[in-house]
Amino acid sequence: MTRAAQQEATRTDPLELVPAPVCRLKRDASFAELQRMESDPAFRAHYLAELDALIVRNTEDATAEIHRAIYPDSEERAA
C-alpha cells in the first residue's frame, strides 16, 4: 500500500464518516422544518418580536459603550 493510500485510509474527517446521501437527507429535512416554521404566522410574530427587541438592546449597549469611550468622565459627573 502506498503512502498516499495509507493516508487516505486513515483519514478521520467526521463529515466523511457519514455517507453523502444521509447528510443530504438530514440537511433537506432540517431545511424543510425551517421552511415550515418560518411560514407559520404565530412563529414569525413571536420570533420577529424577539429579534426586534434583541436588535434594540444591542444597539443601546453599543451606543452606551461608544459614549463611555468618547466621554469617560460623564458617568462620574452623573453620579
Side-chain angles (χ1 to χ4, degrees):
M1 185 180 267
T2 67
R3 183 176 174 97
Q6 287 175 341
Q7 289 176 341
E8 189 68 26
T10 59
R11 191 181 300 183
T12 58
D13 186 357
L15 294 178
E16 292 184 8
L17 298 178
V18 179
V22 174
C23 289
R24 194 174 308 116
L25 288 174
K26 287 181 180 181
R27 183 181 63 225
D28 292 346
S30 298
F31 185 67
E33 177 67 8
L34 179 61
Q35 286 180 317
R36 184 196 64 76
M37 289 178 0
E38 288 181 342
S39 64
D40 180 10
F43 174 81
R44 287 181 61 83
H46 176 73
Y47 176 75
L48 293 177
E50 286 185 6
L51 183 60
D52 287 343
L54 181 63
I55 290 170
V56 168
R57 188 169 50 246
N58 286 347
T59 302
E60 290 172 349
D61 291 347
T63 302
E65 188 173 334
I66 291 169
H67 188 5
R68 283 191 300 273
I70 295 173
Y71 307 106
D73 297 332
S74 64
E75 289 182 8
E76 294 175 5
R77 291 184 198 156

